[in-house]
Amino acid sequence: MAGEVITGAAKKLGRGVLVMVLVTMVVSLLMALTPGSVAEAILGQNATPENVAALNAKLGLDKPLWQQYLSWLGNALHGDLGTSPLTGQPVSSAIAERAPVTVELAVLSLVIALALALLFAVLGATWPRGRFDRFLNALSSVLLSVPAFIAGPILVYFLSVQTGLFPVLGWAPLDEGLGANLESAFLPALSVALVEIASFHRLLRADLTSTLREEYIDAARARGMSHAYVLFRHALRPSSFSLVTIFGISLGRMIGGTVIVETLFALPGLGQLIVTSIGSRDVIMVQGVVAFTGVVYVAINTVVDLSYGLIDPRVRRAVTA
């Protein structure tokens, strides 16, 4: 069994590496198709074509695109993501500085989404088709239709401008105190989490309702077990399989959502870094951030895939296929 798990993980990681190569290749191609260059960004608007050409040659940007990409890929496979020609900062250092903000934002968003979705799903499954259940379903429909770039300004207006409960912009690192850090992170995280709350709630509520109709649930109730015990001890675990299935995809959406939210709330994370790097045509920085994000995404999805067997032993062999 251990050998099958290792083989399955190796296959998934291999596919993940292939996906990352293709993604970074597409990014390189798209950046090459956009007008302007990082040399022009460095030299400014008054740069002459001769100066731009000379700097491109110095930076190696005059080589064919495939040579530039293969050179970057070879270095990346050895752990060197390159150095930004615009700022002179190693890409790995820029990622190390900004990744904690994005990671905290994504994790906090996930915690908010899971907590509220679990609460809503349990309440809805306990009293199915009741008024409160219908209200939660309607609320989920509304949340699904509100993207982060719309939810963010709305939350800022009501929870920051009108009430002053949270700061409008900016980021307080953990060394300034946990309270200040959570205050600055809550609204951005909630903006990202709203869509996921609705998605998780609908999925978990449907699975819980179906599980509560199973015969073994009726048998547990017949033995005198309380509704809460049956719900949390016997029904919740098998009902969470579908939720785990979309966990990796949802986390990917959350990471993608941070690009907009970090720009909107002026947060110094990877999302803001990639937006500014695209604007300045800093291909090396963009490729490095995309590669790092891809590694994290593939690793999370691999762990999620391998965790299926812990939830339902019947799928252990299928996961390693």
Side-chain angles (χ1 to χ4, degrees):
M1 178 63 69
E4 292 178 351
V5 172
I6 294 175
T7 301
K11 290 180 179 179
K12 295 178 187 300
L13 287 175
R15 290 194 292 266
V17 170
L18 178 60
V19 169
M20 285 187 292
V21 170
L22 293 175
V23 168
T24 53
M25 187 183 301
V26 170
V27 168
S28 178
L29 177 61
L30 292 176
M31 291 293 291
L33 294 176
T34 57
S37 67
V38 69
E40 295 176 358
I42 294 172
L43 296 174
Q45 296 179 350
N46 297 325
T48 63
E50 292 77 13
N51 291 336
V52 172
L55 184 55
N56 280 331
K58 181 179 179 181
L59 297 175
L61 300 177
D62 59 335
K63 298 178 181 177
L65 181 61
W66 65 270
Q67 289 186 9
Q68 296 180 44
Y69 177 77
L70 288 180
S71 176
W72 174 85
L73 181 61
N75 293 329
L77 291 176
H78 289 86
D80 180 13
L81 296 177
T83 300
S84 168
L86 187 65
T87 64
Q89 183 182 24
V91 174
S92 56
S93 297
I95 292 174
E97 290 178 3
R98 302 210 178 215
V101 176
T102 300
V103 170
E104 180 182 348
L105 187 58
V107 171
L108 185 57
S109 301
L110 185 63
V111 170
I112 293 173
L114 287 175
L116 292 179
L118 177 61
L119 175 63
F120 293 166
V122 167
L123 293 175
T126 301
W127 296 284
R129 293 179 296 279
R131 289 185 178 180
F132 192 60
D133 185 35
R134 293 198 298 269
F135 168 76
L136 291 177
N137 288 332
L139 179 62
S140 294
S141 298
V142 173
L143 295 180
L144 282 172
S145 63
V146 181
F149 68 86
I150 293 179
I154 294 175
L155 292 174
V156 166
Y157 178 76
F158 285 105
L159 298 181
S160 294
V161 177
Q162 293 294 317
T163 64
L165 293 175
F166 301 96
V168 177
L169 299 173
W171 177 263
L174 280 171
D175 55 16
E176 295 183 8
L178 179 61
N181 173 259
L182 291 178
E183 281 185 2
S184 64
F186 180 76
L187 281 187
L190 183 59
S191 301
V192 176
L194 287 180
V195 172
E196 306 307 326
I197 292 171
S199 177
F200 291 170
H201 159 245
R202 287 192 165 194
L203 187 63
L204 185 57
R205 187 262 182 202
D207 287 347
L208 265 176
T209 302
S210 176
T211 302
L212 288 173
R213 299 194 188 103
E214 296 288 340
E215 292 182 359
Y216 74 92
I217 297 295
D218 293 334
R221 288 169 174 165
R223 290 197 296 271
M225 297 180 183
S226 66
H227 176 76
Y229 184 86
V230 170
L231 182 66
F232 290 101
R233 180 65 179 86
H234 294 287
L236 188 58
R237 182 177 176 180
S239 300
S240 63
F241 185 81
S242 297
L243 187 61
V244 172
T245 301
I246 69 167
F247 176 84
I249 299 174
S250 298
L251 188 58
R253 285 202 302 263
M254 289 182 179
I255 294 174
T258 63
V259 174
I260 298 172
V261 170
E262 286 177 10
T263 304
L264 180 65
F265 288 90
L267 305 182
L270 293 177
Q272 191 182 72
L273 175 62
I274 199 170
V275 168
T276 56
S277 299
I278 290 173
S280 59
R281 308 298 186 269
D282 192 345
V283 180
I284 300 298
M285 186 66 74
V286 173
Q287 285 179 327
V289 175
V290 169
F292 172 78
T293 305
V295 169
V296 173
Y297 185 73
V298 169
I300 290 173
N301 276 275
T302 301
V303 172
V304 168
D305 287 346
L306 297 177
S307 69
Y308 292 158
L310 299 177
I311 299 173
D312 190 345
R314 294 172 299 180
V315 300
R316 286 177 183 168
R317 289 189 175 273
V319 170
T320 58

